[in-house]
Amino acid sequence: MLNIVLFGPPGAGKGTQSEKLMAEYQLDHISTGDLFRKHLSEGTELGQKAQEYMDEGFLVPDEVVIGMVEDKIQSEPNSNGFIFDGFPRTVKQAEALDRLLNANNTPICCMIALEVPFEELKKRLLERGKISGRADDQSEDKINNRIQVYLDETLPVSEFYKTQSKFNGVNGVGTIDTIFEKICAVIESFK
Ligand code: ADP
């Protein structure tokens, strides 16, 4: 099983690269942001719980996220592996994911961190906001808030994977294809 954490700040291109990785390695994609948006659009209880956090760019509480990911993993018993996109976003989530995967003897193989300067991120998110209609992409204040939350709560997750020698930084500025090639080179080196 090939389990990969695709890591990076909001707007780094995780979704775009996930699509390509799914096709290349026949993996399942677990994007916690997409899962929450699906719950929101279906009006589930979980969606209602998550909405107030998401709209303002705060993190949804760990126990809500972890339960949702666990359900999703269990719903794909024949998977070749998962791309985790937007998860883990806190050290608590990273620890919970390790516990879950180690219980199945299918640990994370590597973490790929897309690196993009903050000015470029802001530009990309404001552009995306024009077409996505996402509440959290609509103002510079909300975007700044998400970047701050990333720095405070999510960046420490990279230290967690560094201590396991699984961290790999990849420059997230360039064409989609050149970034993809660099990601594949990292994955091949862990296979
Ligand atoms: P982005 O495009 O900013 O990377 P996502 O689409 O991954 O954002 O997620 C959107 C929002 O959903 C986040 O700002 C947060 O409120 C919530 N969310 C997504 N994943 C997580 C997570 N792992 N832990 C807590 N909250 C999350």
Side-chain angles (χ1 to χ4, degrees):
M1 229 183 163
L2 188 59
N3 288 323
I4 298 166
V5 171
L6 190 56
F7 184 83
K14 301 185 293 289
T16 307
Q17 296 297 334
S18 290
E19 292 283 322
K20 293 177 73 73
L21 287 169
M22 283 168 76
E24 179 80 16
Y25 295 104
Q26 285 82 52
L27 301 175
D28 292 300
H29 183 209
I30 299 190
S31 157
T32 44
D34 287 352
L35 287 173
F36 282 130
R37 280 185 288 276
K38 187 159 183 281
H39 277 280
L40 271 182
S41 71
E42 291 170 357
T44 68
E45 199 181 319
L46 196 150
Q48 283 163 13
K49 251 191 226 167
Q51 179 160 29
E52 51 185 312
Y53 299 99
M54 292 181 70
D55 283 354
E56 297 305 319
F58 291 109
L59 294 184
V60 177
D62 285 331
E63 53 286 2
V64 178
V65 189
I66 293 164
M68 182 177 74
V69 170
E70 191 170 1
D71 288 347
K72 181 73 186 164
I73 292 175
Q74 281 166 359
S75 74
E76 305 280 0
N78 300 317
S79 181
N80 285 328
F82 295 99
I83 305 164
F84 294 97
D85 162 0
F87 178 89
R89 243 179 171 90
T90 64
V91 171
K92 262 202 160 154
Q93 292 177 17
E95 288 166 350
L97 181 62
D98 264 8
R99 276 197 297 275
L100 256 160
L101 295 178
N102 289 340
N104 291 333
N105 273 321
T106 56
I108 291 295
C109 129
C110 59
M111 180 225 226
I112 292 158
L114 290 175
E115 295 168 341
V116 178
F118 291 122
E119 282 315 308
E120 170 72 16
L121 294 174
K122 282 189 204 170
K123 227 170 57 193
R124 289 186 189 180
L125 291 169
L126 284 170
E127 271 309 304
R128 182 171 78 183
K130 290 183 196 162
I131 37 175
S132 72
R134 275 176 55 170
D136 57 349
D137 285 342
Q138 295 306 322
S139 78
E140 220 168 318
D141 275 359
K142 288 184 182 178
I143 290 173
N144 285 335
N145 189 29
R146 283 156 69 199
I147 292 176
Q148 196 57 48
V149 167
Y150 170 79
L151 291 172
D152 294 342
E153 299 186 56
T154 304
L155 205 50
V157 173
S158 54
E159 293 303 319
F160 179 87
Y161 288 101
K162 276 180 193 167
T163 62
Q164 298 188 8
S165 306
K166 292 178 179 173
F167 174 91
N168 302 272
V170 167
N171 183 356
V173 182
T175 68
I176 291 173
D177 286 339
T178 48
I179 298 165
F180 181 62
E181 277 169 28
K182 288 184 203 156
I183 294 175
C184 291
V186 172
I187 294 174
E188 293 301 327
S189 75
F190 279 88
K191 265 173 96 186

